[in-house]
Amino acid sequence: MPGISGRGLSLEERRQLAVNLTRVLALYRSILDAYIIEFFTDNLWGTLPGSWQEALDRLSPPQLATLLLGMPAEGEAVRSVWPLTLLALKATACALAFTRTPGFQTPSEFLENPSQSSRLPPLFRKHVRPKKQHEIRRLGEVRTHLGGRGWVWEPIEAVSPRGTCSVPPPSHAGSKAPLGRITANRVSVPLVKKLRDLTGCTQVVDVGSGQGHLSRFMSLGLGLSVKSIEGDQRLVERAQRLDQELLQALEKQQRRAPQVVHAGPRHPPRHVVKWVDPTALCEELLLPLEPPPPGGAARLLLTGLHACGDLSVALLRHFCRCPEVAALASVGCCYMKLSDPGGYPLSHWVAGLPGCELPYRLREGACHALEEYAERLRKAGPGLRTHCYRAALEAVIRGAQPKLRRPGVQGIPRVHELKIEEYVQRGLRRVGLDPQLPLNVAALQAHQAQEHRVVAFFSLALLLAPLVETLILLDRLLYLQEQGFHAELLPLFSPELSPRNLVLVATKTPLGQAFSALETEDS
């Protein structure tokens, strides 16, 4: 889906974009505020203009994906006459949202095996899901000839014979991997490592590190000095076990292939159990791993891969308030968990705009995966009926208990194989109501006949959702710029694999054209 680049905008352009976003979000607030499970109880279809209803009523799911959400068409183009107001909505949503398209066409590392990234060293793929493999690999994609203690494994046919030695990588998941080579003079340097080199940072602090997959890759794979901060004791213990498992595997591989040169000892990340308060500075976060050299001072680079809610805000505040923090690379997520007020807005400019408020429903909608849903539309599978079924269940619940609104319903497996009345009975049981309540089957079937309208309305909301994310991230850029710092947004991950794919990169000194090299994909 096209959009506006998050890079290279002047202060005035960013401010004007914020003005435009708040105006547009106010104009289409009724769509963004709506809960799709209230489609029938609140007559959401009736809230749309009649001309929109007529245009959308005729569209199949694949046509919604192509004509409304802007996905590439398959086969012949479909002609559809739309009212100008609906065309304006689509054009505005595309023009004002930050582009989520990275500098490459496809996540090429999964072409041969959808579960194993061919561009991440095999030892670093173990216990890591494909989504996370892609994220840490993309953070490690930018190639350079800068020195470093790291190494990278590549398939044998993918590298030149200069400066390499053949090494059979360990088998993974019971399958034999192809022969590969450890490159000795050309390492894969991540965005984080590139920032470290450009800003002179001596230590990386990974905040909200979870099981430590990114920290482990940066420290044991790329030779960086890494502190890993996580508030969940169980996750930290798991991370430490995985560190030791990887160290043992690396030592075993070193014994099998002693000709591979690995300069210097391997140091796993330093794990710290600590909750980071978004309203106060965390002293543990700022402590150096090693004493700085005489006359020098520690320089820290903060990173957070999908730091949840206020945690991403805490990173911004530490960057702004702490002289020892020289750079930041942050990917936010879970915007609905932002404190209100406190987590948004952060900048004086956005806070002063009429209609800047983003209540919970809008921030929750901004976390949906547009590309993933568009792919479901393209395939037009039976799984699309889930929202319709849940909306029908909501209507039955309101009839039985008018004060019970939008209760959480524990997942009902294989929804697409159930009749709508079977789904409703199971849903009633899950919310504590009698599953044997008399049901109006004809009314339920009438609801099911409107499945295509439920899908169309939800697609409209998804079209607008990136505007909310854009305003949240733009507010963060303006906040940093108001503090006198330099910040850009880079679409670094494939949105199909990682929906929250915009990386906020900030420094205290201008990097100029260096930002350009951080988002490209090498061949």
Side-chain angles (χ1 to χ4, degrees):
M1 185 173 174
I4 186 172
S5 173
R7 285 191 53 239
L9 297 178
S10 67
L11 175 60
E12 187 55 39
E13 288 172 327
R14 288 175 173 174
R15 286 177 170 175
Q16 186 59 52
L17 179 58
V19 171
N20 294 340
L21 285 167
T22 54
R23 290 174 177 172
V24 169
L25 292 175
L27 185 62
Y28 300 112
R29 190 65 168 265
S30 62
I31 298 174
L32 289 162
D33 268 335
Y35 287 86
I36 196 64
I37 64 174
E38 295 178 327
F39 184 85
F40 300 118
T41 58
D42 290 13
N43 187 25
L44 296 184
W45 188 251
T47 65
L48 299 178
S51 58
W52 290 25
Q53 295 178 30
E54 184 179 354
L56 295 173
D57 217 10
R58 296 193 297 263
L59 297 180
S60 66
Q63 290 167 349
L64 284 170
T66 301
L67 299 179
L68 187 64
L69 299 185
M71 297 297 110
E74 294 186 355
E76 293 186 14
V78 178
R79 292 188 175 184
S80 179
V81 179
W82 286 9
L84 290 178
T85 50
L86 185 55
L87 290 172
L89 166 65
K90 177 185 174 182
T92 302
C94 294
L96 296 184
F98 283 141
T99 181
R100 296 155 51 76
T101 305
F104 59 95
Q105 297 300 313
T106 179
S108 57
E109 74 262 41
F110 295 106
L111 292 180
E112 294 182 1
N113 186 333
S115 299
Q116 301 292 315
S117 170
S118 62
R119 307 181 75 169
L120 192 67
L123 290 178
F124 291 91
R125 299 196 300 248
K126 193 173 183 181
H127 306 298
V128 185
R129 295 179 179 179
K131 174 180 179 291
K132 185 67 71 173
Q133 291 180 36
H134 172 70
E135 291 163 351
I136 63 177
R137 198 275 303 174
R138 277 296 289 157
L139 284 173
E141 184 57 37
V142 182
R143 294 192 178 276
T144 179
H145 290 273
L146 293 170
R149 293 189 289 112
W151 53 269
V152 63
W153 176 88
E154 291 180 304
I156 201 166
E157 66 274 9
V159 292
S160 67
R162 294 184 59 190
T164 65
C165 55
S166 297
V167 179
S171 61
H172 185 76
S175 62
K176 292 185 178 180
L179 284 179
R181 291 170 176 156
I182 301 292
T183 59
N185 65 345
R186 188 169 179 262
V187 297
S188 182
V189 179
L191 180 150
V192 170
K193 187 174 188 301
K194 182 75 169 179
L195 272 181
R196 187 207 67 164
D197 294 329
L198 290 170
T199 56
C201 291
T202 57
Q203 177 180 313
V204 178
V205 183
D206 183 13
V207 183
S209 54
Q211 297 184 58
H213 296 310
L214 176 61
S215 295
R216 193 172 305 109
F217 178 66
M218 290 190 297
S219 59
L220 294 175
L222 296 169
L224 303 182
S225 177
V226 179
K227 179 186 288 187
S228 177
I229 295 182
E230 168 59 47
D232 191 324
Q233 174 74 42
R234 295 170 300 175
L235 292 178
V236 171
E237 292 172 354
R238 167 74 169 163
Q240 291 171 330
R241 289 195 299 270
L242 293 178
D243 289 349
Q244 294 306 309
E245 182 179 318
L246 178 58
L247 281 169
Q248 292 171 5
L250 289 171
E251 292 171 0
K252 182 178 179 180
Q253 182 169 307
Q254 186 80 34
R255 290 194 298 269
R256 291 172 57 193
Q259 68 271 36
V260 178
V261 177
H262 189 289
R266 297 185 177 98
H267 296 291
R270 173 87 59 82
H271 294 280
V272 177
V273 182
K274 184 73 175 179
W275 288 103
V276 178
D277 184 347
T279 64
L281 296 182
C282 174
E283 293 185 4
E284 177 60 49
L285 186 151
L286 302 172
L287 291 177
L289 289 173
E290 299 177 356
R299 292 174 62 85
L300 307 180
L301 189 159
L302 300 186
T303 187
L305 179 53
H306 295 137
C308 184
D310 285 339
L311 188 57
S312 56
V313 176
L315 292 176
L316 295 175
R317 290 185 172 134
H318 279 79
F319 172 80
C320 291
R321 298 176 184 176
C322 304
E324 54 267 66
V325 179
L328 170 71
S330 171
V331 187
C333 72
C334 301
Y335 303 126
M336 66 283 194
K337 295 183 180 179
L338 290 170
S339 297
D340 185 14
Y344 167 89
L346 297 173
S347 68
H348 295 303
W349 178 261
V350 172
L353 295 177
C356 72
E357 299 83 6
L358 296 177
Y360 178 93
R361 175 67 192 99
L362 271 68
R363 289 182 277 119
E364 189 271 337
C367 295
H368 286 296
L370 184 150
E371 290 80 8
E372 186 271 339
Y373 191 75
E375 180 63 16
R376 291 171 59 191
L377 289 174
R378 190 184 64 80
K379 294 179 178 179
L384 290 174
R385 69 181 51 151
T386 302
H387 285 140
C388 180
Y389 275 23
R390 179 62 183 87
L393 170 62
E394 186 72 11
V396 175
I397 292 173
R398 297 282 181 88
Q401 285 279 14
K403 293 185 178 180
L404 185 58
R405 300 172 59 87
R406 301 192 296 270
V409 178
Q410 187 179 5
I412 298 175
R414 309 186 74 83
V415 171
H416 61 282
E417 297 181 358
L418 300 176
K419 294 180 179 180
I420 191 168
E421 56 268 29
E422 294 174 335
Y423 173 88
V424 168
Q425 288 172 339
R426 296 188 186 188
L428 289 172
R429 182 181 294 111
R430 280 167 165 74
V431 299
L433 296 178
D434 183 3
Q436 300 305 317
L437 283 174
L439 299 178
N440 186 336
V441 177
L444 291 177
Q445 291 174 345
H447 288 331
Q448 187 172 2
Q450 298 187 64
E451 176 186 318
H452 64 292
R453 293 179 174 177
V454 178
V455 169
F457 192 95
F458 187 72
S459 298
L460 277 177
L462 270 187
L463 177 67
L464 292 167
L467 298 181
V468 179
E469 181 177 34
T470 295
L471 182 56
I472 292 171
L473 297 179
L474 180 63
D475 172 59
R476 296 176 182 183
L477 290 175
L478 287 167
Y479 167 72
L480 291 170
Q481 200 158 3
E482 288 173 356
Q483 309 298 314
F485 304 125
H486 310 271
E488 301 283 1
L489 277 173
L490 309 177
L492 199 66
F493 310 135
S494 167
E496 291 81 11
L497 284 172
S498 183
R500 307 279 70 77
N501 73 333
L502 292 166
V503 182
L504 190 154
V505 179
T507 61
K508 292 184 175 176
T509 56
L511 292 183
Q513 295 301 313
F515 277 108
S516 300
L518 299 180
E519 59 179 326
T520 56
E521 169 106 334
D522 64 338
S523 60

